Amino acid sequence: MVPTNYYLALAAILFTMGAMGVLIRRNALVIFMSVELMLNAANLTFVTFARMYSTLNTTSVYNGQIFVFFVMTVAAAEVAVGLALIVAIFRNKQSIDVDQLNSLKG
Amino acid sequence: MSGELILFFILALTAILTAAGMLLSRHAVYAALYLVLNFGTVAIFYLLLGSPFIALSQVTVYGGAIMVLFLFVIMLLGAEQITAEFSWNSVVPAGLLGLALVVEALVLVLQKVSASNLQVATSVIDAAPEPLAKQLFTVYLLPFEITSILLLVAMVGAIILTKTEKKG
């Protein structure tokens, strides 16, 4: 028996670590990986709550799990487009350091 | 302390350490490999929570497809040799902000949820993929079709973005 809030606390820690990665890292690829970490933490809370509410018999366990599928699909689409963008940017600027991508700055 | 709680703490420690390793490693390849390990531990959490199908799709989609794509792009760009300059001036405010976020999240989780401290039952539930697929293809049929359109659009977008135009 592992209490629900242990899982939720772990997911919160992982999510905030992902948010910190987005804030402190300057490599665009590592920023993308941090976004993946945050999506993963959200998935963990989905599965935890699905499990919790199914033991309370309020809803089926599969509703939460299907949402995890949709999050995974969106994550896959996001990674495909995002990495294509990174490749296109690298071709133009020879760099993926986000601090150097300031062409739109007035 | 039950065996499952011990397993949970070992896995939680692994997940947090690998996430920290991803944040702090200077080379993008090491960050990607730490992230693979992190996805693996999260997959084991899904198994503990009684959703084996989600766990296996986590391994195939995240640990397999997405991380292969990441490593492929890192190698393609030669980004493993890029070590961005690191200045503490920009890290300290962001780090403080992130730390505040961690504390806030933990306070919320430990206060609001411990009021109704519900246990996750570990009795064997019916976690076969058939009922999940039945629900996916009946109740959630329209969102499922929309995700297929989303993936198609993402594929077209990725091809257009990386296409090099031939001159002449």
Side-chain angles (χ1 to χ4, degrees), chain B residues 136-147:
Chain B
L136 186 62
F137 288 116
T138 53
V139 181
Y140 293 99
L141 184 62
L142 183 66
F144 180 75
E145 295 294 339
I146 291 173
T147 55

Side-chain angles (χ1 to χ4, degrees), chain A residues 28-47:
Chain A
L29 281 164
V30 180
I31 288 178
F32 256 93
M33 290 180 205
S34 302
V35 172
E36 292 305 311
L37 191 65
M38 287 156 78
L39 286 170
N40 233 313
N43 279 349
L44 190 58
T45 53
F46 265 127
V47 174

Side-chain angles (χ1 to χ4, degrees), chain A residues 19-98:
Chain A
M20 260 170 109
V22 173
L23 291 172
I24 68 174
R25 293 304 297 260
R26 299 274 64 91
N27 188 334
L29 281 164
V30 180
I31 288 178
F32 256 93
M33 290 180 205
S34 302
V35 172
E36 292 305 311
L37 191 65
M38 287 156 78
L39 286 170
N40 233 313
N43 279 349
L44 190 58
T45 53
F46 265 127
V47 174
T48 307
F49 277 124
R51 187 64 202 254
M52 189 181 98
Y53 285 114
S54 72
T55 49
L56 293 177
N57 284 324
T58 45
T59 176
S60 159
V61 70
Y62 301 111
N63 289 327
Q65 297 189 4
I66 285 169
F67 265 86
V68 173
F69 273 119
F70 292 144
V71 173
M72 276 184 186
T73 318
V74 173
E78 174 244 332
V79 163
V81 176
L83 288 178
L85 276 173
I86 287 177
V87 170
I89 289 169
F90 187 80
R91 274 201 197 127
N92 283 331
K93 306 203 65 148
Q94 305 300 319
S95 167
I96 50 167
D97 191 337
V98 289

Side-chain angles (χ1 to χ4, degrees), chain A residues 7 10 14 36-37 39-41 43-45 47-48 51 65 68 72, chain B residues 4 7-8 11-12 14-15 18 34-64:
Chain A
Y7 280 104
L10 176 70
L14 288 180
E36 292 305 311
L37 191 65
L39 286 170
N40 233 313
N43 279 349
L44 190 58
T45 53
V47 174
T48 307
R51 187 64 202 254
Q65 297 189 4
V68 173
M72 276 184 186
Chain B
E4 199 191 339
L7 181 63
F8 174 84
L11 283 174
T14 315
T18 49
Y34 276 123
L35 197 59
V36 172
L37 208 54
N38 188 285
F39 287 162
T41 54
V42 174
I44 301 173
F45 281 129
Y46 291 158
L47 278 181
L48 283 178
L49 287 166
S51 47
F53 196 59
I54 294 285
L56 289 183
S57 38
Q58 162 92 1
V59 171
T60 42
V61 175
Y62 273 111

